[in-house]
Amino acid sequence: MSTEVKVPTLGESVSEATIGQWLKQPGETVALDEPIASLETDKVAIEVNAPVAGVLSQQLAAVGDTVTVSAIIAVIEEGAAGAAAPKAAAPAAAAPAPVAAAPVAAAPAAGESTDPAVLSPAVRRAVLEYGIDPATIKGTGKDGRITKEDVVAAAQTKAASGAPTVPAAVAAPANERREERVKMTRLRQTIAKRLKSAQENAALLTTFNDVDMSAVMEARNRFKDSFEKKHGVKLGFMSFFAKASVLALKDIPAVNAQIQGDEIVYHDYVDISVAVSAPNGLVVPVVRDVDKMSFAGIEKAIADYGKKAKEGSLTMADMTGGTFTISNGGVFGGLMSTPIINPPQSAVLGLHRIEDRPVVRNGQIVIRPMMYIALSYDHRIIDGREAVTALKTIKEAIEDPTRLLIDL
């Protein structure tokens, strides 16, 4: 008996997606509710699960194809009858791949081949760049698939052991030049459009300050073990900055507001979008009601989103809304940046790396762990005085965390 696999509901106002990866190939057995394909929408990746157990007999769309909700993209043969399905069944029999589609196969599941030909484009480029044999990498992605982060970690381990990490391309003749064309994912296209739109439609300006991290680092080092033991999550810096941001947004409501048409919408709640890195690009899931959350609640929410982003399991609901954004470029070593707001929000806080620098305290030059922080804002709604005051409030709360306890 044949069962059709259809594109599921993708979320409010989302009617189409792109085939990002086929996780199962024709002839392979599938279990009930096992992911067989990954779809890319404007915001997140969504997996298509098998409605029945059996054997995947046909793929009716190719990687890169645009499909609509309820469209049939595959056929599964149920039960023993499906076991006779030919393993060599040609994919995309009913829907030939577009000329511009990148010739990329699905990423391997646990136990499958890790030949570069079946890795995702980002992983394949990383493998070539770092000169790592994918067969030696243990995938941490869903179903054991190799992610770009796995390749980078393997390269770092190899470098630490003293082994050379020369990419295979280096051995090519000196006069040989190569190019690879990979179609932009739907998510990357959306990111590009939104960032460009923010530059064109908002009056962007950035104000800077620096923060002495001594007090927060001391508090974190003092309580991190007991905090993790009690709450089951590590105490990081993001919860401190989220709490400090709440103080600033409550004091300066314009920084937490949005322009809608010819009106300004002020919020009496704080939903913070936290920028996290996902395999397909930067995403900003929303931690809701941060003003009512504890440090542990904030850390747990951020940790959960980070895990879901790595697995590619963020939902549309996770990404919807947000009144303010925090982006931490410091985890990648960034010293200073001018972050771009996340429309329709009006401001974004950029965090950067911590480094020891000489500063003057009480007339003496001393060494302190310092961080540059930046607040980019829409000058149409936020005045310079308000932006500077908000950033100064965040700075003061971080330098004296007691303010976070007494709401000062």
Side-chain angles (χ1 to χ4, degrees):
M1 178 178 177
S2 299
T3 299
E4 298 172 338
V5 181
K6 298 182 179 181
V7 176
T9 301
L10 302 173
E12 185 178 355
S13 74
V14 180
S15 60
E16 64 180 24
T18 300
I19 301 290
Q21 290 182 340
W22 279 105
L23 308 179
K24 289 290 185 178
Q25 299 301 320
E28 294 182 344
T29 59
V30 296
L32 176 64
D33 290 331
E34 182 179 9
I36 64 172
S38 176
L39 304 180
E40 294 177 352
T41 70
D42 290 347
K43 294 185 177 181
V44 295
I46 297 176
E47 290 184 335
V48 179
N49 297 327
V52 296
V55 174
L56 183 66
S57 62
Q58 295 183 64
Q59 293 174 351
L60 303 180
V63 171
D65 282 0
T66 297
V67 292
T68 57
V69 174
S70 298
I72 301 171
I73 59 173
V75 176
I76 295 176
E77 297 293 335
E78 297 182 50
K87 188 173 182 63
V99 175
V104 180
E112 292 185 26
S113 170
T114 53
D115 186 276
V118 296
L119 300 176
S120 69
V123 173
R124 187 166 69 251
R125 286 196 299 273
V127 165
L128 294 175
E129 177 183 351
Y130 291 102
I132 301 295
D133 181 0
T136 65
I137 303 174
K138 182 179 180 180
T140 61
K142 196 171 185 64
D143 296 327
R145 295 193 294 275
I146 296 176
T147 67
K148 182 179 178 181
E149 289 76 9
D150 295 331
V151 179
V152 174
Q156 292 173 341
T157 301
K158 189 174 181 180
S161 67
T165 57
V166 180
V170 174
N175 61 348
E176 183 176 346
R177 304 173 66 185
R178 298 179 178 179
E179 291 183 350
E180 180 184 12
R181 291 180 180 269
V182 179
K183 185 177 180 180
M184 292 176 68
T185 65
R186 181 178 290 270
L187 176 60
R188 175 54 60 184
Q189 292 179 49
T190 300
I191 291 173
K193 291 177 182 177
R194 286 175 62 83
L195 293 181
K196 188 60 180 176
S197 174
Q199 287 184 320
E200 292 175 346
N201 298 326
L204 291 179
L205 196 62
T206 304
T207 183
F208 299 91
N209 213 319
D210 59 358
V211 177
D212 186 340
M213 297 291 292
S214 300
V216 165
M217 293 177 69
E218 180 182 353
R220 181 174 179 268
N221 290 334
R222 181 179 177 184
F223 297 111
K224 63 180 182 181
D225 292 336
S226 55
F227 184 90
E228 184 173 5
K229 182 178 180 180
K230 179 176 181 178
H231 300 292
V233 66
K234 293 182 178 180
L235 176 60
F237 295 127
M238 283 296 289
S239 54
F240 286 92
F241 279 100
K243 283 288 190 178
S245 296
V246 168
L247 290 182
L249 300 181
K250 292 293 186 179
D251 287 347
I252 314 294
V255 183
N256 196 44
Q258 299 174 3
I259 293 179
Q260 293 184 10
D262 59 356
E263 296 179 332
I264 298 177
V265 179
Y266 294 94
H267 306 99
D268 67 351
Y269 54 88
V270 178
D271 291 349
I272 296 183
S273 302
V274 180
V276 296
S277 180
N280 291 331
L282 193 70
V283 293
V284 280
V286 181
V287 181
R288 306 184 194 282
D289 296 317
V290 178
D291 50 320
K292 300 176 183 177
M293 297 178 71
S294 65
F295 277 77
I298 295 171
E299 292 291 355
K300 288 178 181 178
I302 294 174
D304 288 345
Y305 279 142
K307 181 180 179 181
K308 292 176 72 173
K310 187 176 182 180
E311 295 175 348
S313 60
L314 287 170
T315 65
M316 299 291 286
D318 294 332
M319 312 285 289
T320 303
T323 61
F324 183 73
T325 293
I326 299 178
S327 178
N328 186 8
V331 297
F332 305 108
L335 175 65
M336 185 179 292
S337 67
T338 55
I340 299 179
I341 63 173
N342 178 25
Q345 297 173 18
S346 299
V348 53
L349 175 67
L351 310 181
H352 304 92
R353 75 170 184 252
I354 302 170
E355 63 178 8
D356 289 340
R357 290 201 295 269
V359 295
V360 177
R361 295 289 185 269
N362 300 321
Q364 300 293 321
I365 298 177
V366 295
I367 302 299
R368 291 286 187 271
M370 304 297 294
M371 175 197 288
Y372 288 117
I373 57 176
L375 184 74
S376 291
Y377 59 98
D378 188 346
H379 211 341
R380 297 177 302 165
I381 181 175
I382 303 170
D383 294 332
R385 176 185 60 82
E386 294 173 317
V388 171
T389 301
L391 195 61
K392 185 171 178 286
T393 299
I394 294 172
K395 167 186 169 69
E396 291 174 345
I398 295 298
E399 293 185 339
D400 184 6
T402 305
R403 291 173 175 265
L404 300 177
L405 300 177
I406 60 176
D407 192 17
L408 181 62

PDB file of all heavy atoms in Angstrom, residues 305-326:
ATOM      1  N   TYR A 305      17.239  27.099  23.516  1.00  0.00           N
ATOM      2  CA  TYR A 305      17.218  27.632  22.158  1.00  0.00           C
ATOM      3  C   TYR A 305      18.519  27.323  21.425  1.00  0.00           C
ATOM      4  O   TYR A 305      18.519  27.040  20.218  1.00  0.00           O
ATOM      5  CB  TYR A 305      16.995  29.140  22.190  1.00  0.00           C
ATOM      6  CG  TYR A 305      15.537  29.534  22.362  1.00  0.00           C
ATOM      7  CD1 TYR A 305      15.178  30.629  23.140  1.00  0.00           C
ATOM      8  CD2 TYR A 305      14.523  28.825  21.728  1.00  0.00           C
ATOM      9  CE1 TYR A 305      13.852  30.998  23.298  1.00  0.00           C
ATOM     10  CE2 TYR A 305      13.192  29.185  21.876  1.00  0.00           C
ATOM     11  CZ  TYR A 305      12.866  30.273  22.658  1.00  0.00           C
ATOM     12  OH  TYR A 305      11.547  30.637  22.803  1.00  0.00           O
ATOM     13  N   GLY A 306      19.648  27.400  22.137  1.00  0.00           N
ATOM     14  CA  GLY A 306      20.915  27.070  21.503  1.00  0.00           C
ATOM     15  C   GLY A 306      20.955  25.636  21.023  1.00  0.00           C
ATOM     16  O   GLY A 306      21.452  25.342  19.922  1.00  0.00           O
ATOM     17  N   LYS A 307      20.425  24.730  21.835  1.00  0.00           N
ATOM     18  CA  LYS A 307      20.377  23.321  21.449  1.00  0.00           C
ATOM     19  C   LYS A 307      19.456  23.111  20.256  1.00  0.00           C
ATOM     20  O   LYS A 307      19.796  22.404  19.308  1.00  0.00           O
ATOM     21  CB  LYS A 307      19.900  22.492  22.637  1.00  0.00           C
ATOM     22  CG  LYS A 307      19.833  20.991  22.351  1.00  0.00           C
ATOM     23  CD  LYS A 307      19.354  20.228  23.581  1.00  0.00           C
ATOM     24  CE  LYS A 307      19.267  18.732  23.284  1.00  0.00           C
ATOM     25  NZ  LYS A 307      18.769  17.963  24.459  1.00  0.00           N
ATOM     26  N   LYS A 308      18.290  23.754  20.290  1.00  0.00           N
ATOM     27  CA  LYS A 308      17.337  23.602  19.185  1.00  0.00           C
ATOM     28  C   LYS A 308      17.891  24.198  17.895  1.00  0.00           C
ATOM     29  O   LYS A 308      17.662  23.666  16.803  1.00  0.00           O
ATOM     30  CB  LYS A 308      16.003  24.263  19.550  1.00  0.00           C
ATOM     31  CG  LYS A 308      15.259  23.557  20.673  1.00  0.00           C
ATOM     32  CD  LYS A 308      13.992  24.297  21.072  1.00  0.00           C
ATOM     33  CE  LYS A 308      12.911  24.180  20.024  1.00  0.00           C
ATOM     34  NZ  LYS A 308      11.623  24.764  20.484  1.00  0.00           N
ATOM     35  N   ALA A 309      18.627  25.310  18.010  1.00  0.00           N
ATOM     36  CA  ALA A 309      19.217  25.927  16.822  1.00  0.00           C
ATOM     37  C   ALA A 309      20.246  25.001  16.184  1.00  0.00           C
ATOM     38  O   ALA A 309      20.313  24.858  14.960  1.00  0.00           O
ATOM     39  CB  ALA A 309      19.864  27.263  17.189  1.00  0.00           C
ATOM     40  N   LYS A 310      21.060  24.359  17.021  1.00  0.00           N
ATOM     41  CA  LYS A 310      22.075  23.440  16.512  1.00  0.00           C
ATOM     42  C   LYS A 310      21.436  22.236  15.837  1.00  0.00           C
ATOM     43  O   LYS A 310      21.931  21.734  14.824  1.00  0.00           O
ATOM     44  CB  LYS A 310      22.982  22.990  17.657  1.00  0.00           C
ATOM     45  CG  LYS A 310      24.172  22.154  17.216  1.00  0.00           C
ATOM     46  CD  LYS A 310      25.085  21.835  18.383  1.00  0.00           C
ATOM     47  CE  LYS A 310      26.289  21.033  17.922  1.00  0.00           C
ATOM     48  NZ  LYS A 310      27.203  20.705  19.053  1.00  0.00           N
ATOM     49  N   GLU A 311      20.311  21.766  16.398  1.00  0.00           N
ATOM     50  CA  GLU A 311      19.611  20.609  15.837  1.00  0.00           C
ATOM     51  C   GLU A 311      18.727  20.984  14.661  1.00  0.00           C
ATOM     52  O   GLU A 311      18.224  20.108  13.959  1.00  0.00           O
ATOM     53  CB  GLU A 311      18.750  19.951  16.924  1.00  0.00           C
ATOM     54  CG  GLU A 311      19.543  19.344  18.063  1.00  0.00           C
ATOM     55  CD  GLU A 311      18.649  18.818  19.170  1.00  0.00           C
ATOM     56  OE1 GLU A 311      17.439  19.147  19.140  1.00  0.00           O
ATOM     57  OE2 GLU A 311      19.143  18.089  20.036  1.00  0.00           O
ATOM     58  N   GLY A 312      18.511  22.293  14.474  1.00  0.00           N
ATOM     59  CA  GLY A 312      17.620  22.728  13.401  1.00  0.00           C
ATOM     60  C   GLY A 312      16.159  22.495  13.723  1.00  0.00           C
ATOM     61  O   GLY A 312      15.347  22.290  12.813  1.00  0.00           O
ATOM     62  N   SER A 313      15.800  22.519  15.010  1.00  0.00           N
ATOM     63  CA  SER A 313      14.425  22.207  15.405  1.00  0.00           C
ATOM     64  C   SER A 313      13.663  23.422  15.938  1.00  0.00           C
ATOM     65  O   SER A 313      12.623  23.257  16.574  1.00  0.00           O
ATOM     66  CB  SER A 313      14.431  21.097  16.471  1.00  0.00           C
ATOM     67  OG  SER A 313      15.149  21.491  17.627  1.00  0.00           O
ATOM     68  N   LEU A 314      14.176  24.628  15.714  1.00  0.00           N
ATOM     69  CA  LEU A 314      13.435  25.826  16.112  1.00  0.00           C
ATOM     70  C   LEU A 314      12.130  25.920  15.322  1.00  0.00           C
ATOM     71  O   LEU A 314      12.095  25.616  14.131  1.00  0.00           O
ATOM     72  CB  LEU A 314      14.271  27.087  15.875  1.00  0.00           C
ATOM     73  CG  LEU A 314      15.431  27.332  16.835  1.00  0.00           C
ATOM     74  CD1 LEU A 314      16.315  28.462  16.332  1.00  0.00           C
ATOM     75  CD2 LEU A 314      14.921  27.658  18.233  1.00  0.00           C
ATOM     76  N   THR A 315      11.072  26.351  15.983  1.00  0.00           N
ATOM     77  CA  THR A 315       9.776  26.471  15.325  1.00  0.00           C
ATOM     78  C   THR A 315       9.481  27.938  15.002  1.00  0.00           C
ATOM     79  O   THR A 315      10.159  28.844  15.474  1.00  0.00           O
ATOM     80  CB  THR A 315       8.657  25.926  16.222  1.00  0.00           C
ATOM     81  OG1 THR A 315       8.544  26.757  17.395  1.00  0.00           O
ATOM     82  CG2 THR A 315       8.976  24.496  16.654  1.00  0.00           C
ATOM     83  N   MET A 316       8.425  28.139  14.219  1.00  0.00           N
ATOM     84  CA  MET A 316       8.009  29.499  13.886  1.00  0.00           C
ATOM     85  C   MET A 316       7.614  30.257  15.147  1.00  0.00           C
ATOM     86  O   MET A 316       7.896  31.450  15.285  1.00  0.00           O
ATOM     87  CB  MET A 316       6.828  29.459  12.916  1.00  0.00           C
ATOM     88  CG  MET A 316       7.127  28.776  11.599  1.00  0.00           C
ATOM     89  SD  MET A 316       8.261  29.718  10.567  1.00  0.00           S
ATOM     90  CE  MET A 316       7.203  31.027  10.007  1.00  0.00           C
ATOM     91  N   ALA A 317       6.976  29.544  16.089  1.00  0.00           N
ATOM     92  CA  ALA A 317       6.562  30.190  17.330  1.00  0.00           C
ATOM     93  C   ALA A 317       7.764  30.677  18.121  1.00  0.00           C
ATOM     94  O   ALA A 317       7.700  31.715  18.792  1.00  0.00           O
ATOM     95  CB  ALA A 317       5.730  29.224  18.173  1.00  0.00           C
ATOM     96  N   ASP A 318       8.879  29.931  18.065  1.00  0.00           N
ATOM     97  CA  ASP A 318      10.093  30.333  18.783  1.00  0.00           C
ATOM     98  C   ASP A 318      10.649  31.652  18.258  1.00  0.00           C
ATOM     99  O   ASP A 318      11.301  32.404  18.996  1.00  0.00           O
ATOM    100  CB  ASP A 318      11.182  29.261  18.649  1.00  0.00           C
ATOM    101  CG  ASP A 318      10.815  27.957  19.327  1.00  0.00           C
ATOM    102  OD1 ASP A 318      10.042  28.001  20.302  1.00  0.00           O
ATOM    103  OD2 ASP A 318      11.284  26.898  18.877  1.00  0.00           O
ATOM    104  N   MET A 319      10.401  31.927  16.982  1.00  0.00           N
ATOM    105  CA  MET A 319      11.022  33.078  16.325  1.00  0.00           C
ATOM    106  C   MET A 319      10.122  34.310  16.261  1.00  0.00           C
ATOM    107  O   MET A 319      10.566  35.375  15.851  1.00  0.00           O
ATOM    108  CB  MET A 319      11.400  32.692  14.888  1.00  0.00           C
ATOM    109  CG  MET A 319      12.132  31.379  14.772  1.00  0.00           C
ATOM    110  SD  MET A 319      13.833  31.505  15.292  1.00  0.00           S
ATOM    111  CE  MET A 319      14.484  32.450  13.939  1.00  0.00           C
ATOM    112  N   THR A 320       8.879  34.162  16.648  1.00  0.00           N
ATOM    113  CA  THR A 320       7.902  35.232  16.473  1.00  0.00           C
ATOM    114  C   THR A 320       7.955  36.238  17.614  1.00  0.00           C
ATOM    115  O   THR A 320       8.014  35.863  18.786  1.00  0.00           O
ATOM    116  CB  THR A 320       6.483  34.651  16.373  1.00  0.00           C
ATOM    117  OG1 THR A 320       6.434  33.718  15.298  1.00  0.00           O
ATOM    118  CG2 THR A 320       5.468  35.748  16.119  1.00  0.00           C
ATOM    119  N   GLY A 321       7.882  37.505  17.266  1.00  0.00           N
ATOM    120  CA  GLY A 321       7.818  38.557  18.270  1.00  0.00           C
ATOM    121  C   GLY A 321       9.185  39.064  18.674  1.00  0.00           C
ATOM    122  O   GLY A 321      10.149  39.024  17.903  1.00  0.00           O
ATOM    123  N   GLY A 322       9.285  39.567  19.889  1.00  0.00           N
ATOM    124  CA  GLY A 322      10.523  40.159  20.372  1.00  0.00           C
ATOM    125  C   GLY A 322      10.434  41.671  20.370  1.00  0.00           C
ATOM    126  O   GLY A 322       9.964  42.283  19.400  1.00  0.00           O
ATOM    127  N   THR A 323      10.858  42.300  21.469  1.00  0.00           N
ATOM    128  CA  THR A 323      10.822  43.760  21.558  1.00  0.00           C
ATOM    129  C   THR A 323      12.216  44.368  21.602  1.00  0.00           C
ATOM    130  O   THR A 323      12.365  45.579  21.477  1.00  0.00           O
ATOM    131  CB  THR A 323      10.055  44.197  22.827  1.00  0.00           C
ATOM    132  OG1 THR A 323      10.719  43.697  23.999  1.00  0.00           O
ATOM    133  CG2 THR A 323       8.621  43.664  22.808  1.00  0.00           C
ATOM    134  N   PHE A 324      13.232  43.531  21.772  1.00  0.00           N
ATOM    135  CA  PHE A 324      14.615  43.998  21.900  1.00  0.00           C
ATOM    136  C   PHE A 324      15.511  42.803  21.606  1.00  0.00           C
ATOM    137  O   PHE A 324      15.111  41.651  21.797  1.00  0.00           O
ATOM    138  CB  PHE A 324      14.857  44.515  23.326  1.00  0.00           C
ATOM    139  CG  PHE A 324      16.231  45.106  23.575  1.00  0.00           C
ATOM    140  CD1 PHE A 324      16.585  46.334  23.052  1.00  0.00           C
ATOM    141  CD2 PHE A 324      17.166  44.423  24.357  1.00  0.00           C
ATOM    142  CE1 PHE A 324      17.837  46.882  23.292  1.00  0.00           C
ATOM    143  CE2 PHE A 324      18.415  44.959  24.610  1.00  0.00           C
ATOM    144  CZ  PHE A 324      18.755  46.196  24.071  1.00  0.00           C
ATOM    145  N   THR A 325      16.717  43.061  21.106  1.00  0.00           N
ATOM    146  CA  THR A 325      17.621  41.965  20.747  1.00  0.00           C
ATOM    147  C   THR A 325      18.973  42.133  21.424  1.00  0.00           C
ATOM    148  O   THR A 325      19.475  43.251  21.562  1.00  0.00           O
ATOM    149  CB  THR A 325      17.824  41.901  19.215  1.00  0.00           C
ATOM    150  OG1 THR A 325      16.591  41.536  18.591  1.00  0.00           O
ATOM    151  CG2 THR A 325      18.884  40.870  18.841  1.00  0.00           C
ATOM    152  N   ILE A 326      19.554  41.007  21.839  1.00  0.00           N
ATOM    153  CA  ILE A 326      20.936  40.976  22.327  1.00  0.00           C
ATOM    154  C   ILE A 326      21.724  40.043  21.419  1.00  0.00           C
ATOM    155  O   ILE A 326      21.340  38.898  21.205  1.00  0.00           O
ATOM    156  CB  ILE A 326      21.032  40.484  23.784  1.00  0.00           C
ATOM    157  CG1 ILE A 326      20.249  41.413  24.720  1.00  0.00           C
ATOM    158  CG2 ILE A 326      22.485  40.405  24.223  1.00  0.00           C
ATOM    159  CD1 ILE A 326      20.263  40.964  26.176  1.00  0.00           C
TER     160      ILE A 326
END
